[in-house]
Amino acid sequence: MREKELRRSMSVLPIGTVMKLTDLTARQIRYYEQQDLIKPLRNEGNRRMYSLNDVDRLLEIKDYLDDGLNISGIKEVYKKQSQLEDERKRNLEKGLTDSDVRKILQDEFLNIGGLKPPSSSFDDPNNLNKLNH
Amino acid sequence: MREKELRRSMSVLPIGTVMKLTDLTARQIRYYEQQDLIKPLRNEGNRRMYSLNDVDRLLEIKDYLDDGLNISGIKEVYKKQSQLEDERKRNLEKGLTDSDVRKILQDEFLNIGGLKPPSSSFDDPNNLNKLNH
DNA sequence: TAGTGAATGTTATATTTTATGACATCAGTT
DNA sequence: AACTGATGTCATAAAATATAACATTCACTA
């Protein structure tokens, strides 16, 4: 499903839509960007344009904040996450099978710990209901 | 996949995004709406908000126009289409199996004919590339 | 307790985007 | 040539967004 990933990464949503989908204020969304938690693209007129992946991440951020993490903590989580992803890529390039990699990743998770996977986005129909009145 | 359909029908895209995704001008998009080919919702500020389904339909409309149909013809196509959908629903309500309905629909298509299924949307990477510069 | 900082609210100003309506153009038809 | 359908273009008004500054709230702590 390469196609699907493409669509999820397309920057097509203005901040107003993202506000409704996430129930965050523009202030919050811009602040999280300033803290390097998200990096929306800009259109020709300098307006921020968000992808569905951005929305997912914002919902994650909300969950983490609700869980008592602060911005620094969330940044740390994402740093670890991308470290793991990088290592996975390196392993795949070295010719390891996918299930090999899965085993390695499991070990890493066990050793590091504390990386609760946040609840997946779009679980909550409320976010949908808030659209268009 | 009820969830997916929900997302595809959510009105989240402003007209500027739709212009890029479809390579249509705002004038064209509003004109097709005026001709009742699409019915985007409006947000609190009266701005048109489009769904991915709307984008699909606009790409269909473009294909039909390229094929030489005029607006009236396209309207006719969609009228037939919704008639078929209605009949399908009625049949399902009457307790027919899904495969029964499929057979009936096949017959109908054969009898009516000329209803070329338009190329599915998002086939063309060009539409994606036009986003954000 | 006063002070500090993180997260967010609020307000003002400038720019961009969109809506609407009118008039113009252009190709195809009669 | 006149007519029509589809689209372009322009003017005007309103809505949405960007940016920056200042305010507030709350938890923590010296």
Side-chain angles (χ1 to χ4, degrees):
Chain A
M1 281 269 140
R2 212 345 137 270
E3 179 101 5
K4 193 172 172 183
E5 294 174 32
L6 232 181
R7 273 205 301 265
R8 291 193 65 77
S9 69
M10 289 170 45
S11 299
V12 293
L13 308 173
I15 199 169
T17 293
V18 176
M19 290 172 63
K20 288 172 186 159
L21 288 174
T22 62
D23 203 32
L24 293 168
T25 67
R27 182 71 167 89
Q28 288 174 302
I29 296 170
R30 296 195 196 105
Y31 181 69
Y32 302 153
E33 175 185 355
Q34 190 184 327
Q35 301 300 316
D36 293 315
L37 290 178
I38 48 173
K39 312 195 192 321
L41 298 183
R42 303 288 184 120
N43 71 3
E44 320 73 39
N46 197 38
R47 267 83 232 277
R48 276 169 261 252
M49 298 301 285
Y50 298 84
S51 68
L52 287 177
N53 282 333
D54 291 328
V55 173
D56 281 347
R57 171 157 288 209
L58 286 169
L59 291 171
E60 278 181 14
I61 293 171
K62 230 172 66 134
D63 284 345
Y64 281 131
L65 289 174
D66 285 347
D67 284 354
L69 296 216
N70 61 11
I71 302 278
S72 300
I74 300 175
K75 246 187 271 196
E76 209 53 42
V77 167
Y78 287 136
K79 189 154 68 177
K80 286 291 171 206
Q81 184 172 302
S82 68
Q83 280 175 10
L84 287 178
E85 283 164 5
D86 287 353
E87 178 152 346
R88 174 182 218 165
K89 261 180 211 159
R90 279 198 303 278
N91 283 333
L92 281 176
E93 281 162 5
K94 281 195 295 181
L96 295 176
T97 76
D98 215 34
S99 81
D100 286 339
V101 174
R102 258 193 295 279
K103 278 177 208 142
I104 294 174
L105 280 180
Q106 274 194 328
D107 287 347
E108 293 183 22
F109 267 114
L110 289 179
N111 288 337
I112 293 174
L115 282 186
K116 148 188 169 293
S119 72
S120 86
S121 57
F122 287 112
D123 279 1
D124 182 359
N126 286 340
N127 292 317
L128 305 181
N129 291 336
K130 298 224 176 82
L131 277 186
N132 293 304
H133 183 75
Chain B
M1 283 265 141
R2 207 358 132 261
E3 179 101 4
K4 192 171 172 183
E5 293 173 34
L6 232 180
R7 273 205 300 266
R8 291 193 64 77
S9 69
M10 288 171 44
S11 298
V12 293
L13 308 173
I15 198 169
T17 292
V18 176
M19 289 172 63
K20 288 171 187 160
L21 289 174
T22 61
D23 203 32
L24 294 168
T25 66
R27 182 70 167 86
Q28 288 174 302
I29 297 170
R30 296 195 196 104
Y31 181 67
Y32 303 152
E33 174 186 354
Q34 192 184 325
Q35 301 302 315
D36 294 315
L37 290 179
I38 48 173
K39 314 199 191 320
L41 299 183
R42 303 287 183 119
N43 70 3
E44 321 73 39
N46 198 36
R47 268 82 231 278
R48 276 168 260 251
M49 298 301 283
Y50 298 85
S51 68
L52 288 177
N53 282 333
D54 290 328
V55 173
D56 281 348
R57 170 156 289 209
L58 285 169
L59 291 170
E60 279 181 13
I61 292 171
K62 229 172 67 133
D63 283 346
Y64 281 133
L65 288 173
D66 284 346
D67 284 354
L69 296 216
N70 61 12
I71 302 279
S72 300
I74 300 175
K75 246 186 270 194
E76 209 52 41
V77 167
Y78 287 135
K79 189 155 68 177
K80 285 291 170 203
Q81 185 173 300
S82 70
Q83 281 175 8
L84 287 177
E85 283 163 5
D86 286 354
E87 179 154 347
R88 175 183 218 165
K89 260 181 212 157
R90 279 198 303 278
N91 282 333
L92 280 176
E93 281 162 6
K94 280 195 295 180
L96 295 177
T97 76
D98 215 33
S99 79
D100 285 339
V101 173
R102 259 194 293 282
K103 278 177 208 141
I104 294 173
L105 280 180
Q106 274 195 327
D107 288 346
E108 292 182 23
F109 268 114
L110 289 178
N111 289 338
I112 293 175
L115 281 187
K116 147 185 170 296
S119 73
S120 87
S121 57
F122 287 113
D123 279 359
D124 183 0
N126 286 340
N127 291 318
L128 305 181
N129 291 335
K130 298 223 177 82
L131 276 186
N132 292 303
H133 173 80

